[in-house]
Structures are given as C-alpha cells and as structure tokens.
Amino acid sequence: MDNWFTIDEIDENTYIISEYRHWEETHCYLLNGNMRSLLIDTGLGISNIYEEVLKLTDKPITAVATHIHWDHIGGHKYFSDFYAHADELKWLNGKFPLSIGTIREMVIDRCDLPDSFCVDNYELFQGMPTKVLADHDMIDIGGREIEVLHTPGHSPGHLCFWEKSRGYLFTGDLVYKDILFAYYPSTDPKSYLDSLEKVAALPVKEVFPGHHSLDIQPEILIRMRDAFRSLRADGKLHHGSGTFQYGDWGVWL
C-alpha cells in the first residue's frame, strides 16, 4: 500500500476519503445505504480509490461527480456506474478546455507521489454516464435520499449533494476554505452567487467541502453569499476584477 488516501468517519455509514499528499487536498465522500453506496467524487486518480471503497462497503457502488474536473473524476475509471450533469457531458467526450499536458503538470505539482505512479500514463477520464442528472433529482440508496442541486459558477454543471435528513451538504468546489476559483473562462461569477444563495437558504448542519480544511461550519455559506452580494453591489462580480480575501477564504475572479 502507498498510503495515498486518508480515511475519516463522519458517522457509521458515511466516510471521507482524502488525498492529503497533493496540494489540492481533495476529499471524496462515501455514503452507504441499505441497497447501495454512493461515492461523491473519485479524486485525482493517482492511486486506486476503488480498493479503499471496497474496505468500507459491500454494496453496489455508484459514483457521482460534483463536476468534471480532473481532480474529481480521476478514479471514475474504476466505476462502470456513474452519474454526471448534462451541462458537462461534452467534457467527458473530448471537449475539455485544457490540454492533457497542462492537466498532467497540475497533477504532479506540489505532490508527494507514490513510487508506482507515472504521470506520462495519466489521462483525463472520458466516458458516458449511466444517468444524466438534473436539478432536484433524488438519489435513493436505501434508507437515505440525497438531493441533487445544480450549483453552477465554478463550472457549468457543478453539483452539490444535499441529504436533508442528516443536514449534510456536500459542496464540491462551490464552498471550501481557501481561494475559490472563478476566473477560468468556463466559470461564471454571477451564477456562483445564485448558487450560494441556493445553498445558504438550506438548514445545513454540516458542510463537507471538496478541498482543504474539514473544520468548516455552515455559517460560512452565509458569509460567502454576503461577500458575493457585496462584490455585485460594487460592480466587481466579473472576470478580471481581482482576488478578494475574507479571512479563512477568498475568491479569484
């Protein structure tokens, strides 16, 4: 074993699978139901996440992507059953806006790689999902229902996953502690605010981000929403306006 992954338990049926040896510190989440398991994101694909998941469930596994970026779909190659949003299907079919050379550079940047990993063999996952997700779809895994929330801004088809019964919100790259990226051509700062309005209105008890610190409280949803509202009021909610810092988080527009 290369000890690439770190496993944390949220509750007896929910786990965090983290990649702390890469600077992005990507988090994936395994939700176990009575009938099947749902894996929210599959990480960078540097090491085999499927082997880790098999230690935590004996149920059939469906993978979902918060969005189709390399650091969230790298392990999709291990899962034949996976879901994605309609607005990013082209990225799964040869139309991703970055070259494989650029992606490989980011994969190995500031990274303690396993000895067995060869970046020359790294490819962006491509494929056709078994289900195309839309806003407010429900995913029933047996005793647990997870609502799909379309939350564009960081990417066109970005999704958050809301488990109302437990108050769990899995935010992908919409919300985390560090610099939020909203400067790429494929990002949309105004949609980002709309998505923050959407999640800030939920009765969230726990926030589970796609990256970095897991010490994150629901109040950050309100702070981020209010900051984006202020940027809009000041005429700065657009590409090229700069980087703005708000203590434990910031945004690059």
Side-chain angles (χ1 to χ4, degrees):
M1 295 302 293
D2 56 34
N3 298 316
W4 177 256
F5 298 105
T6 301
I7 311 297
D8 290 294
E9 183 178 301
I10 298 171
D11 59 48
E12 62 181 356
N13 293 308
T14 315
Y15 297 89
I16 310 170
I17 305 174
S18 303
E19 296 176 281
Y20 287 116
R21 285 168 56 182
H22 192 273
W23 72 270
E24 291 187 284
E25 299 177 325
T26 299
H27 304 299
C28 308
Y29 298 91
L30 180 67
L31 285 56
N32 292 334
N34 297 330
M35 298 186 302
R36 56 188 176 129
S37 294
L38 186 70
L39 181 62
I40 299 174
D41 289 335
T42 60
L44 286 143
I46 287 174
S47 194
N48 189 336
I49 194 170
Y50 182 63
E51 294 177 350
E52 300 300 318
V53 171
L54 287 182
K55 299 173 186 176
L56 303 170
T57 183
D58 58 0
K59 302 293 192 299
I61 304 155
T62 299
V64 291
T66 56
H67 59 300
I68 307 303
H69 284 173
W70 62 91
D71 50 327
H72 296 265
I73 61 164
H76 271 48
K77 59 189 174 184
Y78 301 112
F79 301 93
S80 58
D81 187 25
F82 75 93
Y83 302 164
H85 189 271
D87 288 350
E88 292 177 3
L89 294 185
K90 63 183 180 296
W91 289 358
L92 287 165
N93 190 30
K95 301 290 179 58
F96 192 74
L98 295 179
S99 71
I100 187 60
T102 299
I103 292 168
R104 287 171 177 169
E105 288 176 7
M106 288 187 281
V107 166
I108 63 172
D109 185 32
R110 288 177 282 164
C111 183
D112 177 19
L113 290 167
D115 292 339
S116 59
F117 180 74
C118 177
V119 74
D120 293 337
N121 297 327
Y122 189 90
E123 298 291 343
L124 180 69
F125 174 79
Q126 304 279 266
M128 182 58 65
T130 47
K131 182 175 182 179
V132 177
L133 296 173
D135 195 27
H136 301 300
D137 279 354
M138 300 300 296
I139 301 174
D140 185 351
I141 58 174
R144 303 180 72 171
E145 288 193 339
I146 295 88
E147 184 177 0
V148 176
L149 301 177
H150 184 210
T151 51
H154 176 75
S155 69
H158 190 282
L159 301 172
C160 291
F161 297 93
W162 167 235
E163 188 172 12
K164 183 178 180 180
S165 64
R166 302 187 190 210
Y168 292 173
L169 181 67
F170 302 90
T171 61
D173 282 11
L174 183 74
V175 172
Y176 56 79
K177 284 186 174 180
D178 208 301
I179 300 298
L180 304 176
F181 294 149
Y183 67 92
Y184 292 114
S186 56
T187 66
D188 185 336
K190 291 182 174 60
S191 293
Y192 213 120
L193 172 56
D194 292 340
S195 295
L196 288 172
E197 295 278 6
K198 191 174 193 173
V199 297
L202 299 172
V204 177
K205 294 179 181 177
E206 294 193 57
V207 172
F208 299 105
H211 298 284
H212 305 307
S213 176
L214 293 168
D215 181 16
I216 185 168
Q217 302 302 317
E219 54 80 27
I220 200 170
L221 304 175
I222 308 300
R223 287 196 285 122
M224 287 185 174
R225 179 204 64 191
D226 290 350
F228 270 69
R229 284 178 176 177
S230 294
L231 288 168
R232 180 182 61 186
D234 294 340
K236 296 177 179 177
L237 193 60
H238 60 81
H239 288 152
S241 61
T243 301
F244 302 89
Q245 297 281 355
Y246 300 96
D248 56 357
W249 71 281
V251 60
W252 183 357
L253 295 169

